[in-house]
């Protein structure tokens, strides 16, 4: 038999156990860590911007045009589009769970090419972005000027110019959303002056394009050169304009009398921002805020650590007084939750050890099942890596639950070996061999039945299946590995660790001499309790109808309680984060939205100063899209 083979070759059994533990230990460093499995199906987002357009114009000329081309995509469940009054258009395409986000992204890119030619020219110049990410924010990164030397526009320009592109390339980051824009040259035209000079806005735009260019004029002394040429230099005849004065001096029209109409005659020029419709304040101070969305399937904790490490590396080159803040971060709760589950796992191992010691009576007999716990648990981590799972609340809970079950196989082996040694006076190796001949079918039956209890949950469909698949397969893998360990390693441990005993000894007589009286008293008390239980069962069997009726009453009460219990998709947990949304009536201005967010901040500072650490208010952005009448608060 299998067990006899390894009893004769104990080193081989140890090699298999060590290999399982090594595979699990290596898998732990590779497994991603998250609060829950990736429940949300993969989604691809398309972002476009039509400056100055109304929500209706954006919907008709951008959003609908792109949506009409997004047909025939494999595994696409649905798409949703938003068109905001700020000119922003966002379309999110959701695909079936299990779809490769990279392949979905490439297919969406190909479909988008069919729609680009039909989009307005200004939208094409702005660019249309396709990104794969999750819907929710992983974290928000902010920049504040501690000494107040930099304004909010300065910080937002620095964030977009120096941080946004770098953070978007950090491993695990799917998308970076900037609550603000960089500096831009603003040209404000007075319509009355434009009319008085009999000009159109298109003529002004053409003049700006004509004069604000980088012209390549060749080289002085470029090859082929005249023999004897002694100088080579690039010729620069014109470059991009940089100051408001240079833009103001651009000629728009030369009139018949020789006078020149310039930009300054039609309006004014100034250095401003590309868009003025989003303002972020951190505890009332101007700030630049970058929202990080996690890439589909990425490790949340690793992504957050990568972002923080990159910002710590770049902070050495920040302007004086600029500090990085994290007003919204979902990873600390995940770290605490996983840490608590690991703590529970260790506590469960200790409790199992103490309970086994209490019932088995001897340290050697208790040590054998305890050894199997890390072997099976580490082997289970290797199975998680094989299936592409992650270390999350469900897989770790499955580990905690499995501890109490996986030691049963080893306890059955140890107790039967001790029984044979006590009743027949066999040496440990022979007792282990005979014990395995007797209980091998029972061990296999235990593992198969327990696995069959949990495995059906792995075949649930949709998001429910995603949640319970990892839980059920983790428990089933732990059960089956415990059977393997009980057949291979546990008999070897019994043969090597248990001491020969004389026939007829009590199980607790091998305990430490100081604790022996306690264990002997516990065994006798337990046996008396067992006999009392047996008599109680006999009493119940003699009065079956009466207790069947009591059983039915209990089932009915449980059924009534079951239907009265509240239901939820996942348990509600206090993550230390509160999100506030302000929605003002349509037509409200950004100034009004800022005033509302300032009142929210004042409430937190006055009424909840001990509970609230920070408040980031972003006016102009909401869950339903962008607009001057919406705002978000991250508390």
């Amino acid at each position: 038999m299998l067990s006899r083979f390894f009893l004769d070759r104990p080193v081989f059994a140890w090699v298999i156990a060590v290999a399982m533990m090594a595979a699990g230990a290596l898998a732990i460093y590779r497994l991603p860590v998250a609060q829950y499995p990736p429940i949300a199906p993969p989604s691809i987002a398309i972002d476009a911007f039509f400056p100055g357009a109304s929500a209706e114009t954006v919907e008709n000329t951008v959003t609908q045009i792109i949506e009409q081309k997004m047909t025939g995509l494999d595994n696409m469940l649905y798409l949703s589009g938003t068109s905001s009054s700020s000119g922003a258009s966002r379309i999110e395409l959701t695909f079936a769970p299990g779809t490769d986000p990279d392949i979905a992204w490439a297919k969406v890119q190909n479909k988008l090419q069919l729609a680009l030619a039909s989009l307005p020219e200004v939208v094409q110049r702005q660019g249309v972005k396709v990104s794969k990410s999750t819907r929710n924010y992983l974290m928000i990164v902010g920049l504040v000027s501690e000494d107040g030397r930099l304004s909010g526009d300065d910080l937002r320009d620095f964030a977009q110019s120096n941080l946004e592109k770098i953070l978007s390339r950090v491993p695990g980051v799917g998308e970076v959303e900037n609550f603000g824009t960089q500096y831009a040259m603003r040209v404000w035209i007075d319509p009355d002056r434009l009319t008085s000079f009999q000009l159109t806005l298109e003529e002004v735009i053409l003049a700006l394009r004509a004069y604000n260019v980088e012209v390549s004029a060749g080289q002085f002394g470029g090859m082929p050169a005249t023999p004897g040429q002694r100088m080579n230099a690039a010729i620069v005849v014109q470059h991009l304009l940089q100051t408001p004065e240079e833009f103001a001096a651009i000629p728009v029209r030369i009139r018949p009398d020789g006078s020149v109409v310039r930009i300054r005659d039609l309006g004014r020029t100034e250095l401003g921002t590309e868009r003025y419709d989003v303002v972020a304040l951190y505890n009332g101070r101007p700030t630049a805020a970058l929202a990080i969305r996690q890439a589909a399937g990425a490790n949340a904790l690793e992504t957050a650590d990568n972002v923080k490490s990159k910002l710590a590396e770049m902070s050495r080159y920040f302007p004086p007084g600029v500090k990085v803040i994290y007003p919204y971060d979902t990873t600390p709760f995940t770290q605490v939750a996983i840490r608590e589950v690991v703590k529970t796992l260790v506590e469960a191992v200790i409790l199992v050890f103490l309970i086994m010691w209490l019932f088995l009576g001897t340290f050697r007999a208790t040590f054998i099942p305890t050894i199997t716990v890390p072997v099976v648990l580490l082997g289970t981590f290797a199975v998680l890596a094989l299936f592409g799972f992650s270390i999350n609340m469900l897989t770790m809970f499955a580990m905690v639950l499995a501890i109490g079950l996986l030691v049963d196989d080893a306890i059955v082996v140890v107790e039967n070996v001790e029984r044979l040694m006590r009743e027949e006076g066999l040496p440990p190796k022979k007792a282990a061999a005979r014990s395995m001949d007797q209980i091998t079918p029972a061990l296999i039956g235990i593992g198969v039945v327990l696995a069959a209890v949990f495995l059906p949950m792995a075949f649930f469909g949709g998001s429910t299946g995603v949640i319970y698949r990892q839980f059920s397969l983790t428990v089933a893998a732990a059960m089956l590995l415990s059977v393997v360990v009980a057949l291979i390693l546990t008999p070897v441990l019994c043969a090597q660790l248990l001491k020969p005993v004389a026939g007829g000894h009590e199980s607790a007589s091998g305990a430490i001499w100081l604790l022996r009286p306690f264990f002997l008293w516990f065994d006798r008390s337990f046996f008396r309790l067992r006999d009392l239980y047996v008599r109680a069962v006999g009493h119940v069997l003699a009065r079956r109808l009466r207790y069947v009726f009591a059983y039915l009453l209990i089932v009915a009460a449980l059924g009534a309680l079951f239907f009265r219990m509240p239901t939820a998709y996942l348990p509600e947990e206090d993550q230390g984060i509160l999100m506030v949304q302000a929605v003002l009536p349509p037509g409200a201005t950004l100034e009004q939205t800022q005033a509302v967010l300032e009142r929210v901040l004042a409430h937190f500072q006055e009424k909840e100063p001990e509970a609230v650490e920070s408040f980031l208010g972003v006016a102009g952005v909401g869950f339903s899209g962008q607009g001057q009448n919406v705002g978000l608060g991250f508390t």
Side-chain angles (χ1 to χ4, degrees):
M1 293 179 62
L2 180 65
S3 300
R4 288 183 177 270
F5 174 84
F6 286 101
L7 280 170
D8 295 332
R9 301 164 180 83
V11 176
F12 192 13
W14 279 105
V15 168
I16 293 177
V18 171
M20 289 175 57
M21 296 177 68
L26 293 174
I28 290 176
Y29 289 99
R30 295 179 52 197
L31 286 171
V33 180
Q35 182 181 356
Y36 289 110
I39 302 170
S43 62
I44 306 298
I46 303 174
D47 290 285
F49 183 64
F50 193 168
S54 64
E56 182 180 5
T57 303
V58 174
E59 176 70 19
N60 294 333
T61 61
V62 180
T63 305
Q64 287 189 8
I65 299 299
I66 297 177
E67 287 179 348
Q68 291 169 2
K69 299 299 181 182
M70 296 298 149
T71 58
L73 293 170
D74 297 335
N75 300 322
M76 189 182 77
L77 298 178
Y78 57 89
L79 62 83
S80 61
T82 58
S83 305
S84 64
S85 58
S86 63
S89 170
R90 182 178 178 89
I91 301 169
E92 293 188 358
L93 300 94
T94 303
F95 292 81
T99 304
D100 189 338
D102 293 323
I103 296 178
W105 177 83
K107 291 182 177 180
V108 172
Q109 281 275 28
N110 292 337
K111 291 290 184 179
L112 181 62
Q113 299 304 316
L114 302 176
L116 286 179
S118 303
L119 298 180
E121 181 184 356
V122 63
V123 176
Q124 297 183 40
R125 289 202 309 267
Q126 294 279 339
V128 182
K129 183 176 67 173
V130 181
S131 57
K132 54 180 187 293
S133 64
T134 56
R135 180 183 294 270
N136 298 326
Y137 296 139
L138 173 68
M139 61 191 306
I140 292 180
V141 177
L143 295 179
V144 294
S145 178
E146 294 187 301
D147 54 13
R149 288 192 292 179
L150 298 183
S151 65
D153 292 340
D154 296 332
L155 294 171
R156 287 186 280 272
D157 176 76
F158 180 80
Q160 180 162 348
S161 303
N162 298 277
L163 298 184
E164 182 177 353
K165 300 303 180 184
I166 295 178
L167 292 181
S168 62
R169 293 192 291 267
V170 171
V173 174
E175 183 182 0
V176 178
E177 180 179 351
N178 190 359
F179 295 134
T181 54
Q182 61 186 354
Y183 277 129
M185 189 62 63
R186 306 296 307 219
V187 179
W188 305 99
I189 301 299
D190 186 342
D192 294 334
R193 294 187 186 181
L194 198 66
T195 304
S196 65
F197 285 106
Q198 298 180 348
L199 292 171
T200 63
L201 194 60
E202 186 63 30
E203 292 180 277
V204 176
I205 294 175
L206 291 175
L208 289 169
R209 290 179 182 173
Y211 283 88
N212 186 36
V213 293
E214 193 80 53
V215 177
S216 173
Q219 293 182 347
F220 181 80
M223 297 301 292
T226 304
Q229 180 70 31
R230 292 295 181 267
M231 177 179 287
N232 173 241
I235 301 175
V236 180
V237 297
Q238 186 177 352
H239 56 78
L240 294 176
L241 307 180
Q242 297 181 354
T243 64
E245 292 75 15
E246 291 176 338
F247 278 88
I250 292 177
V252 179
R253 175 183 292 179
I254 300 177
R255 294 190 292 184
D257 59 358
S259 61
V260 179
V261 180
R262 302 183 184 274
I263 294 291
R264 59 172 170 261
D265 300 322
L266 304 174
R268 73 179 192 276
T269 57
E270 65 182 19
L271 186 63
T273 62
E274 289 182 347
R275 294 159 59 188
Y276 292 89
D277 50 6
V278 177
V279 176
L281 297 174
Y282 177 77
N283 289 340
R285 293 189 296 171
T287 183
L290 299 170
I292 308 294
R293 284 191 172 96
Q294 176 185 343
N299 186 334
L301 296 183
E302 186 177 338
T303 301
D305 290 340
N306 291 339
V307 170
K308 293 176 181 178
S309 299
K310 177 59 69 174
L311 287 173
E313 174 187 338
M314 298 177 62
S315 62
R316 295 176 295 176
Y317 310 105
F318 285 179
V322 175
K323 177 185 176 183
V324 179
I325 56 173
Y326 300 97
Y328 179 83
D329 189 357
T330 61
T331 56
F333 176 79
T334 303
Q335 292 174 325
V336 172
I338 295 297
R339 191 183 306 123
E340 288 299 316
V341 175
V342 172
K343 178 183 174 183
T344 305
L345 189 64
V346 175
E347 292 172 349
V349 173
I350 295 173
L351 285 174
V352 166
F353 172 80
L354 294 176
I355 293 172
M356 288 190 302
W357 191 17
L358 182 64
F359 279 89
L360 296 179
T362 64
F363 184 79
R364 286 176 176 266
T366 306
F367 189 60
I368 294 171
T370 306
I371 290 178
T372 64
V373 173
V375 176
V376 174
L377 290 182
L378 288 174
T380 306
F381 278 111
V383 175
L384 295 182
L386 184 65
F387 281 100
F389 294 163
S390 62
I391 298 176
N392 54 64
M393 299 284 287
L394 295 177
T395 53
M396 296 303 291
F397 171 66
M399 296 271 192
V400 174
L401 179 64
I403 288 177
L405 302 174
L406 63 89
V407 295
D408 290 346
D409 298 327
I411 291 174
V412 169
V413 175
V414 173
E415 285 191 325
N416 200 47
V417 171
E418 278 207 329
R419 181 187 63 83
L420 292 174
M421 292 170 59
R422 182 176 66 250
E423 294 179 357
E424 302 182 15
L426 296 176
K429 185 175 181 180
K430 288 187 177 181
R434 183 175 297 183
S435 173
M436 298 311 297
D437 293 339
Q438 296 174 353
I439 64 174
T440 294
L443 292 175
I444 297 175
I446 290 173
V448 172
V449 169
L450 287 175
V453 170
F454 292 97
L455 273 178
M457 290 189 292
F459 297 96
F460 289 171
S463 298
T464 306
V466 174
I467 292 177
Y468 289 106
R469 186 173 299 119
Q470 298 199 14
F471 171 80
S472 63
L473 290 178
T474 301
V475 176
M479 293 300 97
L480 297 177
L481 286 177
S482 70
V483 174
V484 173
V485 171
L487 296 176
I488 294 176
L489 182 63
T490 307
V492 173
L493 293 174
C494 291
Q496 293 180 341
L497 297 181
L498 294 180
K499 289 183 177 180
V501 295
H505 84 296
E506 293 190 61
S507 60
S509 60
I512 301 175
W513 67 271
L514 187 62
L515 300 176
R516 192 175 303 159
F518 168 77
F519 283 109
L520 291 174
W521 169 84
F522 177 80
D523 282 353
R524 297 187 184 107
S525 301
F526 176 75
F527 291 146
R528 284 196 297 269
L529 183 63
R530 180 196 62 185
D531 296 337
L532 180 62
Y533 175 74
V534 171
R535 289 195 298 270
V537 172
H539 176 80
V540 171
L541 292 177
R543 298 163 179 80
R544 299 177 185 178
L545 292 179
R546 185 184 307 172
Y547 284 97
V548 167
F549 180 73
Y551 169 74
L552 293 177
L553 289 178
I554 294 174
V555 171
L558 288 175
L561 292 175
F562 173 78
F563 286 107
R564 295 186 63 180
M565 289 286 290
T567 60
Y569 187 59
L570 288 173
E572 294 184 359
E573 296 166 301
D574 182 8
Q575 301 188 18
I577 296 173
L578 179 66
M579 301 187 72
V580 181
Q581 180 173 217
V583 181
L584 278 70
T589 63
L590 193 67
E591 182 180 356
Q592 293 173 293
T593 305
Q594 283 185 265
V596 171
L597 293 179
E598 290 173 0
R599 289 173 57 190
V600 174
L601 172 62
H603 168 79
F604 286 137
Q605 289 179 338
E606 296 172 4
K607 302 295 180 64
E608 304 287 348
E610 297 179 357
V612 175
E613 179 182 353
S614 65
F615 179 78
L616 173 67
V618 183
V621 176
F623 290 116
S624 58
Q626 297 185 12
Q628 293 191 41
N629 66 319
V630 295
L632 274 180
F634 301 92
T635 312

